[in-house]
């Protein structure tokens, strides 16, 4: 459905005709104006009118309708198509959720398509409408503001993930916390969330590099003002920081998982040594009792009055000796 539709003239929101074709013609006629249409999870029928009026490429329209796209930038004859993936992090459940924002940029129009709940579009539109000097730069300003808001939130999510990962690390290396049977699954789940985060941040590097004019081909991107390249370069620098942080988080969580598994192996070895030590101590009286239970007539001290207490004392002495031996070697 269409969430918002407005014409901006000299950076200020104005009332325009309800018909999209008339609104686009009016924006083009005024020169320093453009139309911005925002849609939320539109159906094919709802998007047909926008596609027809703005001449959007059918391949880009198909991507915008189906969603589940990687961040990318595609150039067509009449428009520029950009996909970004906003991210939200729920600290209580340690879950990273991603949405999608598709942006169509033309000579005098911006069409934004939102999928999912985590999206900065409402805040971006409100902030731009409060800053006419920024908004008067047209569709380029809208694209820059959406990219900047998306990447800035990446930094916040990366900080929250770092905080939670430090707490998980402290739990793993605590005297008692690392032994929980659910710890390994929690670490692996955390690693999956970082992977989901990386799927949103890493592919965005190529589109921002092209928008900032830093690509190898260094070809200008249509419908984007070249004077905005330093601003996109700044956003790309922030994204590089995010990617470095995410890569560090991924390595750290892998190290934590390896350390946890090593801890579990050491504890299992300790347990086996203790079991072996107790089994050795139990074997001594079992052996002595087994020998005397063979019912031979000619056995040493078999008919001696003090034979029973002597054997018992011998068992106790041997057990005491073995206990101290294993204790001194750390087996008990």
């Amino acid at each position: 459905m269409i969430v918002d539709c407005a014409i901006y003239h000299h950076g200020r929101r104005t009332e325009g005709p309800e018909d999209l074709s008339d609104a686009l013609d009016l924006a083009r006629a005024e020169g320093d104006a453009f139309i911005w249409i925002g849609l939320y999870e539109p159906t094919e029928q709802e998007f047909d009118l926008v596609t027809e009026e703005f001449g959007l490429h059918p391949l880009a329209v198909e991507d915008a309708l189906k969603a589940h796209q990687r961040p990318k930038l595609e150039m067509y004859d009449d428009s520029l198509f950009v996909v970004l993936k906003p991210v939200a992090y729920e600290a209580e459940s340690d879950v990273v959720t991603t949405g999608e924002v598709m942006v169509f940029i033309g000579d005098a129009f911006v069409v934004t398509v939102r999928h999912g709940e985590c999206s900065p579009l409402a805040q971006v539109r409100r902030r731009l409408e409060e800053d006419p000097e920024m908004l008067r730069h047209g569709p380029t300003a809208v694209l820059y503001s959406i990219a900047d808001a998306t990447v800035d939130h990446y930094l916040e999510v990366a900080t929250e993930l770092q905080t939670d990962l430090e707490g998980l690390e402290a739990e793993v290396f605590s005297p008692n916390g690392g032994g929980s049977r659910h710890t390994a699954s929690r670490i692996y789940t955390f690693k999956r969330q970082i992977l989901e985060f990386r799927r949103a941040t890493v592919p965005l590097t190529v589109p921002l590099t092209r928008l900032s004019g830093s690509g190898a081909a260094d070809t200008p991107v249509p419908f984007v003002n070249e004077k905005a390249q330093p601003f996109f370069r700044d956003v790309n620098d922030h994204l590089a920081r995010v990617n470095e942080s995410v890569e560090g988080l991924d390595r750290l969580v892998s190290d934590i998982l390896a350390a946890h598994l090593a801890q579990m192996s050491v504890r299992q070895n300790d347990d086996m040594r203790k079991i072996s030590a107790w089994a050795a101590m139990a074997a001594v009286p079992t052996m002595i009792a087994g020998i005397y239970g063979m019912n031979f007539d000619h056995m040493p001290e078999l008919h001696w009055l003090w034979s029973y207490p002597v054997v018992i004392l011998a068992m106790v002495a041997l057990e005491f000796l073995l206990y101290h031996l294993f204790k001194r070697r750390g087996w008990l």
Side-chain angles (χ1 to χ4, degrees), residues 1 10 70 106 149 155-156 158 188 207 211 224 247 263 313 323:
M1 63 178 179
H10 294 295
R70 286 167 55 90
L155 290 169
E156 297 175 7
Y188 184 76
L211 289 170
V224 175
E247 185 178 354
Q263 277 186 328
L313 288 175
Y323 177 82

Side-chain angles (χ1 to χ4, degrees), residues 273-283 323 326 332:
R273 287 192 301 178
K274 291 179 180 179
I275 293 173
S276 299
W278 286 112
M281 293 174 61
Y323 177 82
F326 293 141
L332 291 175

Side-chain angles (χ1 to χ4, degrees), residues 18-48:
E18 295 182 0
D19 184 82
L20 294 181
S21 180
D22 294 340
L24 182 59
D25 291 340
L26 178 62
R28 286 171 172 166
E30 292 180 350
D32 191 13
F34 70 95
I35 181 173
W36 181 0
I37 299 177
L39 300 100
Y40 174 69
E41 297 184 357
T43 63
E44 186 174 352
Q45 292 74 20
E46 292 172 337
F47 208 47
D48 281 343

Side-chain angles (χ1 to χ4, degrees), residues 291-299 302-303:
I291 292 174
Y292 276 87
M294 296 171 68
N295 298 322
F296 288 116
D297 289 332
H298 304 288
M299 294 186 66
L302 187 61
H303 301 287

